[in-house]
Amino acid sequence: MIGPSRVAELDMPGAAIEGASTRPAQSYWNESWERLRANRIGMAAGILILIFALIAILAPVFSAVLTHFQPQTIDLSQTFSPPGGKHLLGTDELGRDTLTRLIWGARVTLGVALLTVAVSLTVGTAVGMMAGYYGGWLDDLLMRLVDTVLAIPAIFLFILMSILFRPTPVSLALIIASVGWGQVARLVRGEVLSVKQRDFILATRSIGARHLRLMLRHLLPNVLPVLIVAASLGVGQIILIEAALDFLGLGIQPPTPSWGNQLTNAESYFFHSIWLVNFPGLLIFVTVLASNVFGNAIRDAFDPRLK
Amino acid sequence: MLAKYVARRFLASLVVVLGVTLITLVLMDRTRGTYVPGIDLNPALRPEDIARLRADLGLDRPFYIWYLTWIWGVVHGDFGRSMIDGSTVMSHILDRLPNTLELTGTAILIGIVIAIPVGVIGALRHGSKADHTLTVVSVAGFAVPQFWMGLILILIFSVTLEQHGLPWLPSSGAYSAVNGGDFIDRVEHLILPATVLSFFYMSTWSRFIRSSMLEVLSQDYIRTARAKGMSERRVVYLHGLRNALIPLVTLIGLELPGLVSGGLVVEVVFGWPGIGKLAFERALQYDYTTVMGVTFFATMLVIAGNLLADLLYGVLDPRIRYS
């Protein structure tokens, strides 16, 4: 039996260093946040993404107040106007305002990326957790499924599926997530396998916690850091994939503007209207760059071992 | 031990291969639609013609017959026949494969050749200005859309140079249609697409080598080697680099399927007559058997690449034990 005296005994090591200057105890999340905040470049990248997200959300306001154009308004008297004047970033082959289309395109591009990450994480975590937690034949079955999905070169799978589902922003996100979940599942399963061995899980089980409670209340919080890191590192790649599919004509279909599909026909006019190639490409580049940098900062903050 | 491991891995791979055929076929089955591959938009087609043509191509058959027919083609090594031109899918693949291998092989090779010194310099002088510059370049290489970089390179090296009457690089195809096809001509066509592709590989691998090298250099045996009085050069190259390159083998093994599929976007941008472009064009025309055949072919390479990387890893690093 553990009586009061034993507890006092266990406290002894603490007493020995009394008086020594100690750092106030901080939660894991607080500590990670402190580390993240100290990373200036990482924070700048994060703020840039936040600004882009705000612009995307407020797209209707911007096109009403700033550009005074709608993304799909065709004006054949204004085709290929260079940047400046009424059209800040020029117009395209149908006289549509480039800046307006880029702002609305941000909605599509960032929205698809967000949804893709959300779906991949949800499905992947559920599958990975079940496989890792229950083990046995379920583990074998689920992991072979993951192996299979990940063995098919993603780009071919995307091509097949974008013929199957006429891509809208939602279906495009699902198409990209159909590969993403597999990577998340592998990651989560690995994490669960190691956390499962720890004593606190045994303790929780011994006081009669149900499977679902164990998974959601005890395993999930321990897997969360890995998930956050995976998500923040994945966003950039997803934006690149989405842009490439749009460019190939397999993603978001015109006239809905996205950053990628604004480059689809670029080759037929880019030698006289260079801005039509520069701006969408630069936006994709900067956004992906910022999310990669921010992703790295998140990883360094949440998982210092990996630095 | 090793034989048993190989056998088990091989069996697991077989399960994955079967799963892949099922997934691709279910997808293709769902996309069968009501059109005729290749000529679906021709207004001269009457409904009864469509029905007849679809029946000729076997598109009206139930799923399991379709599946078995296709598997039959795979077993015979011809992967069935294209729905558009009737020649075997394998002949299409073999026709395009050399072009694709030429492009991706060159890009991967250039990628490795540049990535290794870049990664080593970054690790040896980590924190220095050179390291920071190289980091920025490779982080950029990771974020730049390949198709956009391709467009910009075409604009600079094909369009602008030609406009100024300077020597320019061809922007499309693997060789000139007229009087082309010799070595110089092919190299000229290769430069731009290979640059785009190798920039990506270089960025990925140099980061990887840098961190791998940093890790190795902090190991005890490196300290031991230094303590023995070994020259820094021998320490870095003989003990450091050799061990730092081990994980790279896995990475390159994983890139093996990239030999076929990795250049798809670049092939489309540069009109490179490779496998990726084949799959892309045929997918737009609903040539099911060809798309399926190419997908399956590429998938087999993934599985083979994974297996090979695993085995090589063990040969290079005796600490790995197969069980």
Side-chain angles (χ1 to χ4, degrees):
Chain A
M1 253 189 76
I2 297 176
S5 58
R6 293 287 293 277
V7 173
E9 221 177 278
L10 287 173
D11 272 340
M12 279 304 285
I17 53 167
E18 208 175 325
S21 71
T22 47
R23 201 171 61 131
Q26 271 186 319
S27 77
Y28 168 77
W29 301 105
N30 265 331
E31 249 183 60
S32 303
W33 170 240
E34 289 294 324
R35 272 196 296 265
L36 182 62
R37 234 177 38 179
N39 186 341
R40 274 215 224 126
I41 298 175
M43 282 305 275
I47 289 168
L48 188 67
I49 292 176
L50 219 59
I51 292 172
F52 281 175
L54 269 178
I55 292 176
I57 292 167
L58 297 175
V61 179
F62 276 100
S63 55
V65 177
L66 178 73
T67 65
H68 305 295
F69 291 101
Q70 289 304 311
Q72 299 181 8
T73 310
I74 292 171
D75 181 357
L76 292 179
S77 67
Q78 292 287 323
T79 55
F80 297 121
S81 346
K86 236 169 56 175
H87 298 280
L88 275 178
L89 296 184
T91 60
D92 64 7
E93 75 274 25
L94 294 174
R96 295 172 296 191
D97 186 59
T98 308
L99 179 59
T100 312
R101 288 181 69 73
L102 287 176
I103 291 174
W104 284 80
R107 282 195 143 190
V108 174
T109 302
L110 297 179
V112 168
L114 199 69
L115 188 59
T116 308
V117 170
V119 174
S120 306
L121 285 190
T122 315
V123 178
T125 307
V127 170
M129 199 166 271
M130 285 207 290
Y133 181 76
Y134 289 110
W137 65 267
L138 188 66
D139 184 23
D140 278 337
L141 184 77
L142 291 174
M143 281 305 113
R144 286 301 85 72
L145 185 67
V146 170
D147 286 349
T148 308
V149 171
L150 291 184
I152 306 174
I155 188 83
F156 288 129
L157 214 53
F158 295 147
I159 290 179
L160 277 174
M161 280 194 282
S162 42
I163 298 172
L164 173 54
F165 313 101
R166 184 104 185 129
T168 63
V170 173
S171 69
L172 186 62
L174 293 179
I175 287 172
I176 304 176
S178 70
V179 172
W181 73 270
Q183 290 152 349
V184 176
R186 264 190 196 164
L187 203 68
V188 170
R189 174 179 172 269
E191 240 358 69
V192 167
L193 281 181
S194 85
V195 175
K196 200 168 78 164
Q197 306 294 330
R198 297 209 210 135
D199 289 340
F200 78 94
I201 293 291
L202 188 67
T204 319
R205 192 177 289 155
S206 69
I207 57 172
R210 301 242 170 100
H211 290 313
L212 197 64
R213 186 185 164 82
L214 243 163
M215 281 194 265
L216 292 181
R217 288 293 301 274
H218 299 280
L219 285 177
L220 190 61
N222 283 288
V223 177
L224 216 51
V226 185
L227 283 180
I228 292 173
V229 171
S232 50
L233 284 174
V235 173
Q237 292 312 301
I238 290 169
I239 294 176
L240 277 183
I241 291 169
E242 194 253 344
L245 288 177
D246 288 353
F247 167 75
L248 292 174
L250 298 168
I252 306 297
Q253 300 294 316
T256 307
S258 82
W259 293 347
N261 74 14
Q262 274 168 272
L263 290 162
T264 302
N265 294 319
E267 259 168 297
S268 53
Y269 46 69
F270 70 167
F271 41 87
H272 59 73
S273 304
I274 178 68
W275 61 90
L276 288 178
V277 183
N278 281 346
F279 295 128
L282 271 177
L283 259 182
I284 299 169
F285 175 59
V286 170
T287 311
V288 175
L289 193 64
S291 39
N292 285 352
V293 170
F294 185 61
N296 281 330
I298 292 257
R299 182 198 55 200
D300 295 345
F302 281 76
D303 201 346
R305 283 173 305 163
L306 288 175
K307 197 164 184 177
Chain B
M1 195 74 149
L2 184 66
K4 215 171 144 193
Y5 174 79
V6 173
R8 229 190 44 214
R9 278 297 315 263
F10 194 76
L11 269 179
S13 301
L14 215 61
V15 175
V16 172
V17 169
L18 277 178
V20 168
T21 62
L22 256 178
I23 289 183
T24 46
L25 254 132
V26 168
L27 282 179
M28 293 314 276
D29 186 53
R30 297 291 106 200
T31 51
R32 279 205 252 182
T34 52
Y35 21 70
V36 182
I39 48 173
D40 56 298
L41 286 177
N42 192 332
L45 281 179
R46 292 169 302 166
E48 55 265 38
D49 292 330
I50 292 180
R52 185 172 50 80
L53 290 170
R54 284 175 61 80
D56 285 350
L57 291 168
L59 280 171
D60 56 349
R61 281 180 288 182
F63 175 69
Y64 64 94
I65 301 261
W66 216 36
Y67 182 68
L68 291 177
T69 317
W70 189 71
I71 291 281
W72 189 249
V74 170
V75 172
H76 279 74
D78 60 10
F79 285 32
R81 287 180 181 278
S82 159
M83 296 229 157
I84 291 178
D85 51 30
S87 49
T88 62
V89 172
M90 201 32 128
S91 72
H92 279 296
I93 294 178
L94 292 179
D95 198 31
R96 300 288 192 101
L97 192 61
N99 291 332
T100 292
L101 292 182
E102 179 188 334
L103 172 60
T104 48
T106 310
I108 288 178
L109 209 67
I110 296 177
I112 296 174
V113 167
I114 301 180
I116 292 178
V118 164
V120 170
I121 291 172
L124 290 184
R125 304 198 191 148
H126 85 109
S128 72
K129 254 199 188 118
D131 181 30
H132 284 309
T133 315
L134 293 174
T135 301
V136 169
V137 171
S138 58
V139 168
F142 217 64
V144 68
Q146 287 183 343
F147 60 91
W148 183 60
M149 187 178 167
L151 289 173
I152 298 290
L153 288 187
I154 291 176
L155 193 65
I156 298 172
F157 292 100
S158 304
V159 180
T160 311
L161 285 188
E162 194 186 7
Q163 276 170 350
H164 287 77
L166 295 162
W168 47 278
L169 288 167
S171 65
S172 171
Y175 45 84
S176 305
V178 184
N179 294 330
D182 59 342
F183 182 71
I184 304 268
D185 182 52
R186 287 192 82 100
V187 170
E188 276 180 357
H189 281 82
L190 189 58
I191 292 176
L192 291 184
T195 305
V196 175
L197 212 51
S198 57
F199 189 47
F200 171 75
Y201 287 130
M202 189 276 288
S203 318
T204 321
W205 291 337
S206 65
R207 299 303 298 154
F208 197 79
I209 292 170
R210 179 180 174 274
S211 58
S212 172
M213 190 79 182
L214 273 178
E215 199 188 313
V216 168
L217 287 180
S218 69
Q219 299 280 326
D220 284 345
Y221 59 79
I222 293 290
R223 204 174 45 191
T224 308
R226 283 199 177 119
K228 281 197 308 194
M230 194 180 255
S231 75
E232 186 63 22
R233 223 188 153 127
R234 276 177 70 99
V235 171
V236 168
Y237 291 100
L238 205 67
H239 293 266
L241 188 57
R242 257 177 80 173
N243 287 299
L245 288 185
I246 293 173
L248 188 70
V249 173
T250 312
L251 218 61
I252 292 173
L254 292 177
E255 209 48 63
L256 205 64
L259 274 173
V260 168
S261 59
L264 193 141
V265 176
V266 175
E267 281 182 6
V268 173
V269 173
F270 288 96
W272 190 265
I275 293 219
K277 191 156 173 284
L278 174 75
F280 173 68
E281 288 168 349
R282 292 308 170 97
L284 294 181
Q285 298 174 302
Y286 303 103
D287 186 355
Y288 310 102
T289 36
T290 305
V291 176
M292 228 147 59
V294 174
T295 306
F296 185 70
F297 185 77
T299 309
M300 298 289 280
L301 275 182
V302 178
I303 295 167
N306 289 352
L307 197 59
L308 198 72
D310 266 8
L311 295 178
L312 263 183
Y313 206 68
V315 174
L316 293 175
D317 190 345
R319 286 171 299 186
I320 308 272
R321 290 275 168 269
Y322 297 108
S323 56

